[in-house]
Coordinates of all heavy atoms in Angstrom, one line a residue:
C1 N 54.4 28.0 69.4 CA 53.6 27.0 70.2 C 52.1 27.3 69.8 O 51.4 26.3 69.6 CB 53.8 27.2 71.7 SG 55.4 26.7 72.3
A2 N 51.7 28.5 69.7 CA 50.3 28.8 69.4 C 50.0 28.4 67.9 O 49.0 27.8 67.6 CB 50.1 30.3 69.5
M3 N 51.0 28.6 67.0 CA 50.8 28.1 65.7 C 50.7 26.6 65.6 O 49.8 26.1 64.9 CB 52.0 28.6 64.8 CG 51.9 28.3 63.3 SD 53.4 28.7 62.4 CE 53.5 30.5 62.6
G4 N 51.6 25.9 66.3 CA 51.5 24.5 66.3 C 50.2 23.9 67.0 O 49.7 23.0 66.5
L5 N 49.8 24.6 68.0 CA 48.5 24.2 68.7 C 47.4 24.3 67.7 O 46.5 23.4 67.6 CB 48.3 25.1 69.9 CG 46.9 24.9 70.6 CD1 46.8 23.5 71.2 CD2 46.8 25.9 71.7
A6 N 47.3 25.4 67.0 CA 46.2 25.6 66.0 C 46.3 24.5 64.9 O 45.3 23.9 64.5 CB 46.3 27.0 65.3
A7 N 47.5 24.2 64.4 CA 47.6 23.2 63.4 C 47.2 21.8 64.0 O 46.5 21.0 63.3 CB 49.1 23.2 62.9
G8 N 47.7 21.5 65.2 CA 47.4 20.2 65.8 C 45.9 20.0 66.0 O 45.4 18.8 65.8
L9 N 45.1 21.0 66.3 CA 43.7 20.9 66.5 C 42.9 20.8 65.3 O 41.8 20.3 65.3 CB 43.2 22.1 67.4 CG 43.7 22.0 68.9 CD1 43.3 23.3 69.6 CD2 43.0 20.9 69.6
W10 N 43.5 21.3 64.2 CA 42.7 21.3 62.9 C 43.2 20.1 62.0 O 42.4 19.7 61.1 CB 42.9 22.6 62.2 CG 42.0 23.7 62.7 CD1 42.3 24.6 63.6 CD2 40.7 23.9 62.3 NE1 41.3 25.4 63.9 CE2 40.2 25.0 63.1 CE3 39.8 23.3 61.5 CZ2 38.9 25.5 63.0 CZ3 38.5 23.8 61.3 CH2 38.1 24.9 62.1
L11 N 44.4 19.6 62.2 CA 44.9 18.6 61.3 C 44.7 17.2 61.8 O 44.7 17.0 63.0 CB 46.4 18.8 61.0 CG 46.8 20.1 60.3 CD1 48.3 20.3 60.2 CD2 46.2 20.2 58.9
S12 N 44.6 16.2 61.0 CA 44.6 14.8 61.4 C 46.0 14.3 61.7 O 47.0 14.9 61.3 CB 44.0 14.0 60.2 OG 44.9 13.9 59.2
P13 N 46.1 13.2 62.5 CA 47.4 12.7 62.8 C 48.2 12.3 61.6 O 49.5 12.4 61.6 CB 47.1 11.4 63.7 CG 45.7 11.7 64.2 CD 45.0 12.5 63.2
Q14 N 47.6 11.9 60.5 CA 48.3 11.5 59.3 C 48.8 12.8 58.6 O 49.9 12.7 58.0 CB 47.4 10.7 58.4 CG 46.9 9.4 58.9 CD 45.9 9.5 60.0 OE1 45.1 10.5 60.0 NE2 45.8 8.5 60.8
A15 N 48.0 13.8 58.6 CA 48.4 15.0 57.8 C 49.4 15.9 58.6 O 50.2 16.6 57.9 CB 47.2 15.8 57.4
A16 N 49.4 15.9 59.9 CA 50.2 16.9 60.7 C 51.7 16.8 60.4 O 52.3 17.9 60.2 CB 49.9 16.6 62.2
P17 N 52.3 15.6 60.4 CA 53.8 15.6 60.1 C 54.1 16.2 58.8 O 55.1 17.0 58.7 CB 54.1 14.1 60.2 CG 53.1 13.5 61.0 CD 51.8 14.3 60.7
A18 N 53.4 15.9 57.7 CA 53.7 16.4 56.4 C 53.5 17.9 56.4 O 54.4 18.7 55.9 CB 52.8 15.8 55.3
V19 N 52.4 18.4 56.9 CA 52.1 19.9 56.9 C 53.2 20.6 57.7 O 53.6 21.7 57.3 CB 50.7 20.2 57.4 CG1 50.5 21.7 57.6 CG2 49.7 19.6 56.5
M20 N 53.5 20.1 58.9 CA 54.5 20.8 59.7 C 55.9 20.9 59.0 O 56.6 21.9 59.1 CB 54.7 20.1 61.1 CG 53.5 20.2 62.0 SD 53.3 22.0 62.6 CE 52.0 22.5 61.4
N21 N 56.3 19.8 58.3 CA 57.5 19.9 57.6 C 57.4 20.9 56.4 O 58.4 21.6 56.1 CB 57.9 18.5 57.0 CG 58.6 17.6 58.0 OD1 59.7 17.9 58.4 ND2 57.9 16.6 58.5
I22 N 56.3 21.0 55.8 CA 56.1 21.9 54.7 C 56.1 23.3 55.2 O 56.6 24.2 54.5 CB 54.7 21.6 53.9 CG1 54.8 20.3 53.2 CG2 54.4 22.8 53.0 CD1 53.5 19.9 52.6
V23 N 55.6 23.5 56.4 CA 55.6 24.9 57.0 C 57.0 25.3 57.6 O 57.5 26.4 57.3 CB 54.5 25.0 58.1 CG1 54.7 26.3 58.9 CG2 53.1 24.9 57.5
Y24 N 57.6 24.3 58.3 CA 58.8 24.6 59.0 C 60.0 25.2 58.2 O 60.5 26.3 58.4 CB 59.2 23.4 59.8 CG 60.4 23.5 60.7 CD1 60.7 24.6 61.4 CD2 61.3 22.4 60.7 CE1 61.8 24.7 62.2 CE2 62.5 22.5 61.6 CZ 62.7 23.6 62.3 OH 63.8 23.7 63.1
L25 N 60.4 24.4 57.2 CA 61.6 24.8 56.4 C 61.3 26.0 55.5 O 62.2 26.9 55.6 CB 62.1 23.5 55.7 CG 62.5 22.3 56.5 CD1 63.0 21.2 55.6 CD2 63.6 22.7 57.5
P26 N 60.3 26.0 54.7 CA 60.1 27.2 53.9 C 59.9 28.5 54.7 O 60.3 29.6 54.4 CB 58.8 26.9 53.1 CG 58.8 25.4 53.0 CD 59.3 24.9 54.4
L27 N 59.2 28.3 55.9 CA 59.0 29.5 56.7 C 60.3 30.0 57.2 O 60.5 31.3 57.3 CB 58.1 29.1 57.9 CG 57.6 30.2 58.8 CD1 56.7 31.2 58.0 CD2 56.8 29.7 60.0
A28 N 61.2 29.1 57.6 CA 62.5 29.6 58.1 C 63.3 30.2 56.9 O 64.0 31.3 57.1 CB 63.3 28.4 58.6
F29 N 63.3 29.6 55.8 CA 64.1 30.2 54.6 C 63.6 31.5 54.2 O 64.3 32.5 54.0 CB 64.0 29.2 53.5 CG 64.7 29.7 52.2 CD1 66.1 29.7 52.1 CD2 64.0 30.2 51.1 CE1 66.7 30.2 51.0 CE2 64.6 30.7 50.0 CZ 66.0 30.7 49.9
L30 N 62.2 31.6 54.0 CA 61.6 32.9 53.5 C 61.7 34.0 54.5 O 61.6 35.2 54.2 CB 60.2 32.6 53.2 CG 59.9 31.7 52.0 CD1 58.4 31.4 51.8 CD2 60.5 32.3 50.7
S31 N 62.0 33.7 55.8 CA 62.1 34.7 56.8 C 63.5 35.2 57.0 O 63.8 36.1 57.8 CB 61.6 34.2 58.2 OG 60.3 33.8 58.2
G32 N 64.4 34.7 56.2 CA 65.8 35.1 56.2 C 66.7 34.5 57.3 O 67.6 35.1 57.7
L33 N 66.3 33.3 57.8 CA 67.0 32.7 58.9 C 68.3 32.0 58.4 O 69.2 31.9 59.2 CB 66.1 31.7 59.7 CG 64.8 32.3 60.2 CD1 64.1 31.2 61.1 CD2 65.0 33.5 61.1
W34 N 68.3 31.6 57.2 CA 69.5 30.9 56.7 C 70.4 31.8 55.9 O 71.6 31.6 56.0 CB 69.0 29.7 55.8 CG 68.2 28.7 56.5 CD1 68.0 28.5 57.8 CD2 67.5 27.6 55.8 NE1 67.2 27.5 58.1 CE2 66.8 26.9 56.9 CE3 67.3 27.2 54.5 CZ2 66.0 25.8 56.6 CZ3 66.5 26.1 54.3 CH2 65.9 25.4 55.3
I35 N 69.8 32.7 55.2 CA 70.6 33.6 54.4 C 70.1 35.0 54.7 O 68.9 35.3 54.8 CB 70.4 33.4 52.9 CG1 70.8 31.9 52.5 CG2 71.2 34.3 52.0 CD1 70.4 31.5 51.1
P36 N 71.1 36.0 55.0 CA 70.6 37.4 55.3 C 69.7 37.9 54.2 O 69.9 37.7 53.0 CB 71.9 38.1 55.3 CG 73.0 37.1 55.7 CD 72.5 35.8 55.1
L37 N 68.7 38.6 54.6 CA 67.6 39.1 53.7 C 68.2 40.0 52.6 O 67.6 40.1 51.5 CB 66.6 39.9 54.5 CG 65.5 39.0 55.2 CD1 64.6 39.9 56.0 CD2 64.8 38.1 54.3
M38 N 69.3 40.7 52.8 CA 69.8 41.6 51.8 C 70.2 40.8 50.6 O 70.4 41.4 49.5 CB 70.9 42.5 52.3 CG 72.2 41.7 52.7 SD 72.2 41.0 54.4 CE 72.1 42.5 55.4
A39 N 70.4 39.5 50.7 CA 70.8 38.7 49.5 C 69.5 38.3 48.7 O 69.7 37.7 47.7 CB 71.6 37.5 50.0
F40 N 68.3 38.6 49.2 CA 67.1 38.1 48.6 C 66.6 39.2 47.6 O 66.9 40.4 47.7 CB 66.0 37.9 49.6 CG 66.1 36.7 50.4 CD1 67.2 35.8 50.3 CD2 65.2 36.3 51.3 CE1 67.3 34.7 51.0 CE2 65.3 35.2 52.1 CZ 66.4 34.3 51.9

């Protein structure tokens, strides 16, 4: 929520959806949420 709040206050309404999608999925993948980290 804090991360999203910071993004929302700094980004324009046009940029926010694209940036959030760019952040959301790679952040989940690189954190090992989809595949256990030992496979990385």
Side-chain angles (χ1 to χ4, degrees):
C1 290
M3 184 186 297
L5 174 62
L9 288 171
W10 280 96
L11 296 173
S12 68
Q14 295 76 24
V19 172
M20 287 296 95
N21 277 292
I22 291 174
V23 169
Y24 180 39
L25 298 181
L27 190 62
F29 176 76
L30 293 174
S31 300
L33 302 186
W34 298 350
I35 302 172
L37 280 178
M38 68 274 295
F40 285 4

